[in-house]
């Protein structure tokens, strides 16, 4: 990938990144509506239109900086608004709404893995670009899935963990949410986030290799 210029890199990264973010957020909105909360639907977030989910800084600026200076891509989309109090069976609904995003990323990782295998077995002009795009798709979806499953509020893993705790413990755990972003940033800038994520990312690559 180092031999490609910035425009070529953007062309390779754009579709996998936009799909990963769009389907992740749309999956949250869909599951929330299924469990009785129409907030995201009414705000137009239950859509595959990426413009509805893009955050100018987290979805555009930071990934572009990552491509320019190198290193791991880092960013975010606009969070889907969910009124957890409106969900039918709040604990179960919260669990499924939170899990929907990572499950969407898992499905996309499988899709890109199949396309990567296809690219390796087909000769043609588009084989190399498709292989590179597929590698990016696998990487971004696995990283997003594993990152979001960390048991830190307001990440999806934090929501799932909270929904599994007894009510009293869940209430105390929920009070940590205002500090979640700071905890995540501390992990990023201390260099601890990568060692925490790496074993799970490697496990997902291994599982994809076994399945395909």
């Amino acid at each position: 990938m180092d031999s490609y210029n910035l425009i070529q890199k953007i062309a390779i990264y754009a579709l996998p990144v936009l799909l990963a973010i769009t389907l992740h957020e749309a999956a949250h909105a869909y599951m929330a509506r299924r469990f009785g909360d129409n907030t995201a639907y009414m705000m137009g977030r239950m859509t595959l239109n990426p413009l509805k989910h893009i955050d100018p800084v987290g979805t555009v600026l930071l990934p572009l900086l990552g491509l320019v200076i190198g290193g791991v891509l880092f960013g975010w989309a606009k969070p889907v608004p969910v009124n957890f109090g409106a969900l039918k069976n709040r604990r179960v609904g919260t669990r499924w709404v939170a899990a929907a995003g990572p499950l969407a990323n898992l499905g996309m990782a499988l899709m890109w893995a199949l396309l990567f295998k296809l690219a390796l077995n087909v000769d043609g002009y588009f084989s190399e670009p498709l292989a590179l795009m597929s590698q990016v798709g696998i990487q971004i979806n696995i990283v997003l899935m594993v990152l979001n499953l960390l048991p830190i509020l307001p990440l999806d893993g934090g929501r799932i963990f909270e929904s599994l705790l007894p009510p009293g413990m869940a209430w105390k755990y929920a009070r940590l949410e205002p500090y979640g972003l700071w905890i995540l940033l501390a992990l990023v800038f201390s260099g601890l986030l990568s060692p925490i994520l790496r074993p799970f990312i490697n496990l997902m690559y291994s599982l994809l290799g076994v399945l395909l």
Side-chain angles (χ1 to χ4, degrees), residues 8-24:
Q8 291 171 319
K9 287 181 180 179
I10 291 173
I12 292 168
Y13 275 83
L15 181 61
V17 170
L18 287 176
L19 273 179
I21 289 170
T22 299
L23 291 179
H24 179 105

Side-chain angles (χ1 to χ4, degrees), residues 112-187:
W112 285 114
L114 288 170
L115 288 174
F116 180 67
K117 190 172 183 179
L118 175 67
L120 294 181
N121 289 283
V122 175
D123 291 326
Y125 177 77
F126 291 104
S127 297
E128 184 179 353
L130 179 59
L132 291 170
M133 193 177 290
S134 299
Q135 286 178 305
V136 171
I138 295 168
Q139 179 189 32
I140 191 68
N141 279 288
I142 287 179
V143 170
L144 275 177
M145 182 184 73
V146 172
L147 174 64
N148 275 285
L149 285 175
L150 287 176
I152 301 172
L153 290 169
L155 296 179
D156 299 328
R159 300 282 181 211
I160 295 169
F161 185 63
E162 180 191 356
S163 75
L164 294 170
L165 292 173
M169 292 181 66
W171 180 79
K172 291 177 182 177
Y173 183 71
R175 295 178 67 186
L176 298 174
E177 183 167 350
Y179 310 104
L181 179 59
W182 296 106
I183 293 170
L184 187 60
L185 289 174
L187 290 173

Side-chain angles (χ1 to χ4, degrees), residues 88 96 164 166:
K88 302 170 187 173
W96 278 105
L164 294 170

Side-chain angles (χ1 to χ4, degrees), residues 104-114 137-138 141-142 208 212:
N105 290 126
L106 176 60
M108 283 183 281
L110 286 167
M111 178 199 75
W112 285 114
L114 288 170
I138 295 168
N141 279 288
I142 287 179
L208 283 178
L212 299 176

